[in-house]
Amino acid sequence: MSRGSLLYAQSGGVTAVINATASGVIQQARTRKVRVLAGRNGILGVLREELFDTSKEAIADIRALAHTPGGAFGSCRYKLKSLDEDRARYERLLEVFRAHDVRWFLYNGGNDSADTALKVARLAREFDYPLTCVAVPKTVDNDLVATDCCPGFGSAAKYTAVSVREAALDVAAMAETSTKVFVYEAMGRHAGWLAAAAGLAGEGRDAAPHLILFPERPYDEADFLQRVQAVVDRVGHCVVVASEGIRDADGRFIADAGGGKDAFGHTQLGGVASHLAGRVQERLGLKVHWTLPDYLQRSARHIASRTDLEHALAVGKAAVDYALDGRNGVMPAIVRTSDAPYRWIIEPAPLEKIANREKTMPAAFIRKDGHGITAAARRYLTPLIRGEAYPPYGADGLPKYVALKNVPVKQTLDPFDP
Amino acid sequence: MSRGSLLYAQSGGVTAVINATASGVIQQARTRKVRVLAGRNGILGVLREELFDTSKEAIADIRALAHTPGGAFGSCRYKLKSLDEDRARYERLLEVFRAHDVRWFLYNGGNDSADTALKVARLAREFDYPLTCVAVPKTVDNDLVATDCCPGFGSAAKYTAVSVREAALDVAAMAETSTKVFVYEAMGRHAGWLAAAAGLAGEGRDAAPHLILFPERPYDEADFLQRVQAVVDRVGHCVVVASEGIRDADGRFIADAGGGKDAFGHTQLGGVASHLAGRVQERLGLKVHWTLPDYLQRSARHIASRTDLEHALAVGKAAVDYALDGRNGVMPAIVRTSDAPYRWIIEPAPLEKIANREKTMPAAFIRKDGHGITAAARRYLTPLIRGEAYPPYGADGLPKYVALKNVPVKQTLDPFDP
C-alpha cells in the first residue's frame, strides 16, 4: 500500500448504481495499492470521524456492490455553506483528513457535492495540506452540466420507460369498462429528464404515454383536461406522465396542492399524480388510476441499464486515476462521441463549471405541443437505457444484494457535532 | 382442424402472465387441431359477437404472448348476474356460440368468471347445446379457493418483494438526514397476499419491511403509530407495507379516507399509503415518503416469477385438454405436492367449489403480533416467486412485447347491446 488514504463519501439521494461507482473506486484503488476509507452517511461521517476501512472487505463483496442498490456506506442530505459561513466545518474536515492521512478525497454526488469538493480543495491549498479533490457524478435527475449524462439516470430512465410501457398495456386492455386515464408521477423537481424517458415507452400520436407534463413548461389545467379528453375520445384511454416539478402559471408547484383535510379530518399529503387524477375524475368524470413510484424508481437495480452501470463503474475508476494523478478539482465527465453506434469516453471537467449549476431539458427535446419528446430526445435517451444488467438471484427468488461489514476506523480526535 | 371452435376470453384485472395462459391455450389447441376464437374485451365482445380469429396469428407471436403483459384481446369488468336476472344475456351467449360453432368455452379470470362459466355450462345443458365450459384461474389477489395459488400472483409477489427490498436499502442509506418512514401500498382489497409477499424482502426483527398491515387484521391507528416510532427508535427508520384493504375497527376502509379538499380547494383522492404517511408526519413529526405502485405491480412482466409463468402456461394447456376431453364445469387447479423441493401438478377442480368464494390469508401465516409473516407463510410464498423469466429486449433498451393482429371474425348476427 502507498502512503496515504483515499476517502470516498456518498452524498444526496442514492441511485440503483451509486454502489457500482463505489465498487469501481475501491477496485481501482486496490489495483493502484491505495487504501480506501469511506464516510459513514457521507460527509456527516467524515465530520464526525466515522470512517469505514474498506480494506477489511472481501473482494467478492466489493464486486457485488456493483449490483447492489442503495448506498453501501450511507449517504446524507447535508450541504456545506460558503467557506466563510461554515469555516469550522471545513477546518474539521481537514483535521480528519490529517488524522487519517487522507490525501485524496472523492465526493460522489450532484452539483452540491461538486461545490463542496471544490471548496475543500481550496481550503487545503490555503492550508498547504496536500490533498487532491475529485467529484464523482451521480443523480437520477440527470441535471449536472459538463457531462453528457449522470450515472443513476439511465437506470431510473429504463425503469420509467419499461414501467410505463407495461402499465399502458394493462390500461389499454381494461379501458372499456375500467380505468380510462392513468397518471404516472416521475421524479424531477426542476428538470423533466425522467418524465422524458417515459416517452421512450411508445412512439406516435396514439401510443402511450399520450401526454407528458414537463417542469420546463407551465401547467395549464384547462388545456390539460382538454387534451386528456381528446386522447380518450380518440384512443379510448389516456396515459399521462407528469414530472413532480410541474408548476402552474403562478409558479406554484402542483405537488404542493395537498395539505388540506381528508374525509377523516386529517391533513392529507399531496402529490402531482394524485392531484391530476383528482381533477380528471372531478372535471371529466372519467375513471382514473395513478401511480407514485417514488423511491422504487431510483432504487430499481433489478431493471438497471447496462449503459448506466458501465458509466457508473467507469466514473469511479477514472476518479481514482484522476485523484492519484493529482488532478485537483475535477469531475470525470461522460462525453458522448457518437449517437449511433453509441460511443463515449470519460474526460475530466473542472468543478468550477459544474458546482451549483443545473441542466434542464433543452427546448429541442420537447415536442412543439409541449407534451411529448422529439426525435432528438430519443437519440439522446435511447443509448442510456440500452442493455440489461441483472443482479444474481437466490433460490429465494430475490436479488442477492450485498451488505458490507463496514468496519469502523479507530477514532483519534475529539468528538465533533456537525 | 376439428369441427367446432374453442372460445377464449379474459376477464377482470389483467396480470403480468395472463397472456402466457392465452399462449398456452392457443398453442395447445393448435397441437390438438382446434381453432381458437377470442372475445374482444372479454365476455363483452362475446355478447357483441366481436371475436378475433387467433388462427390468423403467426406462431412466433403466439409464443411471444408468453412474455407480454396486459391482456392481448382486452378484458373487462362485467359480471353476469343470475340466470334469471340476466337470462337475455346468457341466451345471447349461446346464440353467438351457435353462430360460430363454439363447442368449448374457456373463461380466464377470478371467482366471478368461474361463476359465469358455471352458469353458461348449466344453460347449455338446459338447451341441449353441446358445450364444455372450463374456467382458467388468474388473479394477482391470490384469493381463489381450490387452487394452491393463482397465476398472476407469483409475479406480482416477486415485484413486491424485490421492490420493497430495493427501496428499503435506499431508505436505510438516507434515513439519518432524510426519510425515516417509508410506506408501500400493496394491492389486495380483501386478502393480504401481496402485502404478505413483501415480507419475503427481509427476515428478522430489524429487517425491512418492519411492519405489515393486513386486511385480515383491524387497523388501530394508535397502535400503528406507536409501533412505527418504536422501530424508528430502534432501527433508525421504518419500512411499512400496507394492504389497500385495511379497515379500522368500525369497518371503514382506510383507503376511503380521501375525498376532502386539498389546499387548492379541489377534491382530493385517497389511498392507504398517502393516509398513513400523513398520519406519521402529523402525529410523529417524522419525514415520510410513500409509494403507490398501483398497476405497475400487476403488469411488471419484466420481473415475472418463473414459477408463476410456468403455472400460467400450464393452466392454459390443461384447460384446453379438459375442454376437449369434455370435462365440463371445472377449473385447472394448481396442487402443491411438496414445499421443498417445490413440486406441483395440475388437477381439475369443480367450479361449484370455486365460484363466488374467496380465500384470505390463513391465521397461521400472520405473525402473532399481526404485523409480519410466519415461517409457514415463507414456506408457502417462496417457491411462488422463485426463478426469473425475463422478456427479450430490443436495441432500444425496452422489452419486446407483442401486439397481435386481432383479425375480427365476420359477424352474422343482429347487433346486441350488453
Side-chain angles (χ1 to χ4, degrees):
Chain A
M1 289 279 166
S2 307
R3 200 185 148 259
S5 290
L6 183 149
L7 176 64
Y8 168 81
Q10 300 180 329
S11 178
V14 295
T15 75
V17 297
I18 187 172
N19 284 335
T21 296
S23 180
V25 164
I26 297 168
Q27 290 190 64
Q28 184 68 0
R30 287 189 180 189
T31 302
R32 298 196 58 174
K33 314 262 185 240
V34 168
R35 182 173 80 145
V36 176
L37 305 179
R40 177 174 177 269
N41 292 348
I43 201 83
L44 277 177
V46 184
L47 287 166
R48 291 180 184 137
E49 202 194 1
E50 291 179 345
L51 308 177
F52 299 129
D53 183 354
T54 71
S55 70
K56 309 293 187 194
E57 308 290 344
I59 185 65
D61 288 347
I62 296 302
R63 288 203 190 98
L65 271 189
H67 65 245
T68 300
F73 311 108
S75 181
C76 65
R77 295 204 179 280
Y78 183 82
K79 185 167 160 58
L80 283 161
K81 296 181 195 148
S82 71
L83 277 171
D84 284 344
E85 284 174 283
D86 256 342
R87 189 92 192 166
R89 290 189 182 83
Y90 285 103
E91 291 189 0
R92 168 72 178 188
L93 287 179
L94 281 196
E95 190 189 7
V96 173
F97 290 175
R98 255 194 212 100
H100 297 278
D101 199 16
V102 171
R103 308 286 293 273
W104 306 281
F105 174 48
L106 264 51
Y107 203 25
N108 199 173
N111 31 41
D112 282 358
S113 316
D115 180 61
T116 300
L118 187 61
K119 283 172 181 149
V120 172
R122 280 181 188 150
L123 192 74
R125 212 152 35 213
E126 186 189 315
F127 277 78
D128 237 356
Y129 178 77
L131 183 75
T132 305
C133 293
V134 172
V136 198
K138 170 251 37 162
T139 169
V140 296
D141 293 333
N142 203 39
D143 59 356
L144 291 178
V145 297
T147 183
D148 180 66
C149 63
C150 303
F153 170 68
S155 294
K158 188 178 185 97
Y159 171 94
T160 304
V162 171
S163 298
V164 169
R165 175 170 284 190
E166 291 178 332
L169 289 173
D170 188 310
V171 174
M174 304 289 301
E176 186 184 349
T177 54
S178 182
T179 297
K180 295 264 189 306
V181 180
F182 182 69
V183 186
Y184 179 107
E185 179 167 337
M187 281 185 164
R189 189 86 173 165
H190 303 294
W193 293 104
L194 280 176
L200 298 174
E203 195 166 357
R205 192 165 171 251
D206 292 348
H210 307 94
L211 294 173
I212 302 177
L213 303 180
F214 297 102
E216 287 87 353
R217 295 283 180 274
Y219 167 70
D220 175 333
E221 181 176 289
D223 176 71
F224 168 69
L225 292 173
Q226 195 197 319
R227 285 175 190 275
V228 168
Q229 187 64 61
V231 173
V232 170
D233 291 344
R234 202 174 69 241
V235 183
H237 63 279
C238 180
V239 175
V240 176
V241 173
S243 188
E244 63 173 328
I246 57 169
R247 288 186 285 182
D248 64 18
D250 300 332
R252 293 187 299 187
F253 281 106
I254 302 302
D256 295 342
K261 298 285 180 192
D262 69 17
F264 292 2
H266 299 317
T267 297
Q268 194 161 23
L269 300 180
V272 163
S274 145
H275 174 80
L276 296 178
R279 300 309 289 149
V280 165
Q281 179 180 294
E282 194 170 41
R283 294 286 308 280
L284 303 181
L286 295 169
K287 182 163 161 62
V288 63
H289 261 239
W290 83 94
T291 180
L292 174 67
D294 196 63
Y295 292 155
L296 305 193
Q297 74 201 279
R298 75 179 193 195
S299 59
R301 181 61 184 81
H302 74 270
I303 186 69
S305 144
R306 174 154 292 282
T307 302
D308 189 35
L309 175 64
E310 287 169 359
H311 287 162
L313 284 161
V315 296
K317 288 180 183 181
V320 170
D321 287 337
Y322 294 168
L324 300 188
D325 295 350
R327 302 185 84 143
N328 197 25
V330 298
M331 178 189 89
I334 296 156
V335 178
R336 183 186 299 226
T337 56
S338 160
D339 276 326
Y342 176 61
R343 290 209 182 96
W344 54 280
I345 54 172
I346 302 283
E347 284 192 346
L351 293 186
E352 285 88 351
K353 284 199 179 172
I354 298 156
N356 299 315
R357 294 173 66 180
E358 207 168 59
K359 183 169 71 178
T360 54
M361 289 264 293
F365 281 9
I366 302 178
R367 218 168 52 194
K368 250 193 196 143
D369 70 4
H371 292 86
I373 59 172
T374 61
R378 283 176 199 280
R379 268 196 306 280
Y380 168 76
L381 291 167
T382 298
L384 306 185
I385 70 162
R386 188 176 292 144
E388 294 66 60
Y390 301 119
Y393 281 71
D396 60 358
L398 284 159
K400 289 187 187 176
Y401 294 143
V402 71
L404 297 184
K405 289 184 288 189
N406 282 344
V407 178
V409 173
K410 199 173 145 49
Q411 296 178 326
T412 62
L413 301 174
D414 290 335
F416 180 91
D417 182 2
Chain B
M1 290 278 167
S2 307
R3 200 188 148 259
S5 290
L6 183 150
L7 177 63
Y8 169 79
Q10 301 179 329
S11 178
V14 294
T15 75
V17 297
I18 187 174
N19 283 335
T21 296
S23 180
V25 164
I26 297 168
Q27 290 189 64
Q28 185 68 0
R30 287 190 181 188
T31 302
R32 297 196 58 175
K33 313 262 185 239
V34 167
R35 184 173 76 146
V36 175
L37 305 180
R40 176 173 178 269
N41 293 347
I43 201 83
L44 277 177
V46 183
L47 288 165
R48 291 180 185 136
E49 203 195 359
E50 292 179 343
L51 309 177
F52 300 129
D53 182 354
T54 72
S55 70
K56 308 293 188 193
E57 308 290 344
I59 185 66
D61 288 347
I62 295 303
R63 288 204 191 98
L65 271 189
H67 64 246
T68 300
F73 312 107
S75 181
C76 66
R77 295 205 179 281
Y78 183 82
K79 184 167 161 62
L80 283 162
K81 296 181 194 147
S82 71
L83 277 171
D84 284 344
E85 285 174 282
D86 258 342
R87 188 91 191 165
R89 290 189 182 86
Y90 286 102
E91 292 190 359
R92 167 72 178 189
L93 286 178
L94 280 197
E95 188 189 8
V96 172
F97 290 174
R98 259 196 208 98
H100 297 278
D101 198 18
V102 171
R103 308 284 293 273
W104 307 281
F105 174 47
L106 264 52
Y107 204 24
N108 198 175
N111 31 39
D112 282 358
S113 316
D115 180 60
T116 300
L118 188 60
K119 284 173 180 149
V120 172
R122 280 179 188 153
L123 193 72
R125 214 156 28 218
E126 185 186 317
F127 279 77
D128 237 354
Y129 177 78
L131 182 74
T132 305
C133 292
V134 173
V136 199
K138 169 249 43 160
T139 169
V140 297
D141 293 332
N142 204 38
D143 59 357
L144 292 178
V145 298
T147 182
D148 180 67
C149 62
C150 304
F153 170 69
S155 294
K158 188 179 184 96
Y159 171 95
T160 304
V162 171
S163 297
V164 169
R165 175 171 284 192
E166 291 179 332
L169 289 173
D170 188 310
V171 175
M174 304 289 302
E176 186 184 350
T177 54
S178 183
T179 298
K180 295 265 191 305
V181 181
F182 183 68
V183 187
Y184 179 107
E185 179 167 338
M187 281 185 164
R189 188 87 172 166
H190 304 293
W193 293 105
L194 280 176
L200 299 174
E203 195 165 358
R205 191 166 171 250
D206 292 349
H210 307 94
L211 295 173
I212 302 178
L213 303 180
F214 298 100
E216 286 87 354
R217 295 284 179 276
Y219 167 70
D220 175 333
E221 181 175 292
D223 176 70
F224 168 69
L225 292 173
Q226 195 198 320
R227 284 175 191 274
V228 168
Q229 186 65 60
V231 174
V232 170
D233 291 345
R234 202 174 71 239
V235 183
H237 64 278
C238 180
V239 175
V240 177
V241 173
S243 189
E244 63 173 326
I246 57 169
R247 289 186 283 181
D248 64 18
D250 299 332
R252 293 186 300 184
F253 281 108
I254 303 302
D256 296 341
K261 297 286 178 191
D262 70 16
F264 293 3
H266 299 317
T267 297
Q268 195 161 24
L269 301 180
V272 163
S274 144
H275 176 81
L276 297 177
R279 300 309 290 148
V280 166
Q281 180 180 294
E282 194 170 43
R283 294 286 309 281
L284 303 181
L286 295 170
K287 182 165 161 62
V288 63
H289 261 240
W290 84 94
T291 181
L292 174 69
D294 196 65
Y295 292 155
L296 305 193
Q297 74 201 278
R298 75 179 194 195
S299 59
R301 182 61 186 80
H302 74 270
I303 186 70
S305 144
R306 174 154 294 283
T307 302
D308 189 35
L309 175 65
E310 287 168 1
H311 287 163
L313 284 162
V315 295
K317 288 179 182 182
V320 169
D321 287 338
Y322 294 168
L324 299 188
D325 296 350
R327 303 185 83 142
N328 198 25
V330 299
M331 179 188 88
I334 297 156
V335 178
R336 184 185 300 227
T337 57
S338 160
D339 275 328
Y342 176 60
R343 290 209 181 96
W344 53 281
I345 53 172
I346 301 283
E347 284 191 346
L351 293 186
E352 285 88 350
K353 284 201 179 169
I354 298 156
N356 299 315
R357 295 173 64 181
E358 208 169 59
K359 183 170 69 178
T360 55
M361 289 265 293
F365 280 9
I366 300 179
R367 218 169 49 196
K368 248 191 201 146
D369 70 3
H371 291 87
I373 60 172
T374 61
R378 284 176 199 280
R379 268 197 306 280
Y380 168 77
L381 290 166
T382 298
L384 306 185
I385 71 162
R386 188 176 292 146
E388 294 67 57
Y390 302 119
Y393 281 70
D396 61 358
L398 285 158
K400 288 186 186 176
Y401 294 143
V402 71
L404 298 184
K405 288 184 289 187
N406 281 345
V407 178
V409 172
K410 201 174 144 47
Q411 296 177 325
T412 61
L413 302 174
D414 290 336
F416 179 91
D417 182 3

